Amino acid sequence: MRIDYPTDAERDASIDAILAAGLDPQPALRHALGGLYRILGLRGMLFGVWDCVLLAVLLSGCAAVPLMSVLLSRAEPRLLLYPLTGGAPLLYAALLLLTFWKEEQLGTRELKMTVLYDLRQLTALRLLLFSGMAALGNVLLAACAAAFCRDALLFAQLLSLSLGALCVYIALTLLWLLRVPARFQPVLPALWAALCLLPPVFLPEALLAALLDGLPLAGTALLAVLAAATAGTLLRTYLLTYRKDDPYAYG
């Protein structure tokens, strides 16, 4: 008597169906993140990486202050648009890379894979915190530049462009974490920096500023909102979707 055994795909589909029927439905993203934050708190979220957070803030400040002083010394304030848009993810990228590098070097990344709340959950909370810190930094830079130039429209332009660029980078970070192995994590900020450095090589600085200045404010704000919504969707996928082959944050 011949017995037909199920294929791997059929077996996995059956297991997924059993799990879907027996497990509680997935919570909303804000409930999942809120519950994790109430359990871990800020201290647990940043345990062992406070020095990385401080160093990232200091490095970003040391890069931003000279850049702002040089740009604000020029006669045309619209020249601020492109550098501050391209550099918007600087603090976020520094926070993420430094914390990842330290935990990779000390071996605590593997340790956190074995505890009750795994590294993917911790990383999702950190991404949200780092996003808020980077957004606050961009708002402060835009406010300082607009106050110095006494130009309210400049503030709105800088805010929509920089926050839009930051949200795009956050979405790319989440996509990178979902699809790319751990050893390639530092490639994303390098690619972003290279792409931001290419336009000034081929186009005059004044032309870049004019192109960004000509963008409709409502359009850039809408793009920022869409990028933020995409990042939120990817964050939900990253946090709540089980990945059999890659269950943890960095592969």
Side-chain angles (χ1 to χ4, degrees):
M1 178 178 176
R2 181 182 176 185
I3 299 176
D4 293 328
Y5 291 96
T7 63
D8 291 342
E10 292 172 339
R11 186 178 66 247
D12 289 342
S14 299
I15 293 173
D16 291 340
I18 294 171
L19 290 175
L23 295 177
D24 293 331
Q26 290 183 344
L29 179 61
R30 62 186 182 89
H31 293 306
L33 290 173
L36 281 173
Y37 181 77
R38 284 192 294 272
I39 293 168
L40 295 175
L42 188 62
R43 182 177 180 181
M45 194 191 320
L46 297 178
F47 179 76
V49 296
W50 285 100
D51 53 342
C52 296
V53 173
L54 179 60
L55 183 59
V57 172
L58 290 175
L59 288 174
S60 300
C62 290
V65 171
L67 176 65
M68 288 287 290
S69 63
V70 170
L71 293 174
L72 290 174
S73 64
R74 300 182 179 182
E76 177 51 59
R78 293 301 183 276
L79 294 177
L80 288 166
L81 292 175
Y82 185 78
L84 294 188
T85 300
L90 175 62
L91 176 58
Y92 174 84
L95 287 164
L96 188 61
L97 283 179
L98 286 174
T99 53
F100 169 70
W101 176 81
K102 181 177 181 180
E103 290 184 335
E104 186 76 15
Q105 294 299 311
L106 295 179
T108 53
R109 186 172 69 89
E110 288 77 10
L111 176 63
K112 288 176 181 176
M113 290 180 180
T114 65
V115 297
L116 179 60
Y117 300 101
D118 64 36
L119 186 58
R120 190 181 350 155
Q121 295 171 307
L122 181 62
T123 302
L125 277 177
R126 285 181 178 175
L127 290 175
L128 193 62
L129 175 65
F130 295 165
S131 302
M133 293 175 64
L136 179 60
N138 286 318
V139 171
L140 290 176
L141 282 178
C144 291
F148 183 85
C149 299
R150 297 181 180 180
D151 190 338
L153 179 59
L154 179 64
F155 173 72
Q157 288 177 313
L158 286 173
L159 197 61
S160 61
L161 287 171
S162 61
L163 292 183
L166 175 62
C167 290
V168 168
Y169 188 86
I170 292 169
L172 290 174
T173 298
L174 287 162
L175 192 61
W176 208 261
L177 289 172
L178 286 166
R179 301 296 181 189
V180 180
R183 62 183 179 276
F184 297 117
Q185 294 304 321
V187 174
L188 179 60
L191 283 176
W192 181 273
L195 290 174
C196 290
L197 290 174
L198 279 177
V201 173
F202 298 102
L203 297 174
E205 187 178 19
L207 179 57
L208 284 174
L211 289 174
L212 292 178
D213 188 33
L215 294 175
L217 187 59
T220 56
L222 178 61
L223 288 176
V225 172
L226 290 176
T230 302
T233 302
L234 289 171
L235 182 62
R236 188 181 191 281
T237 302
Y238 178 75
L239 177 63
L240 300 178
T241 302
Y242 175 74
R243 288 171 286 148
K244 181 178 65 174
D245 298 328
D246 185 15
Y248 299 111
Y250 295 105

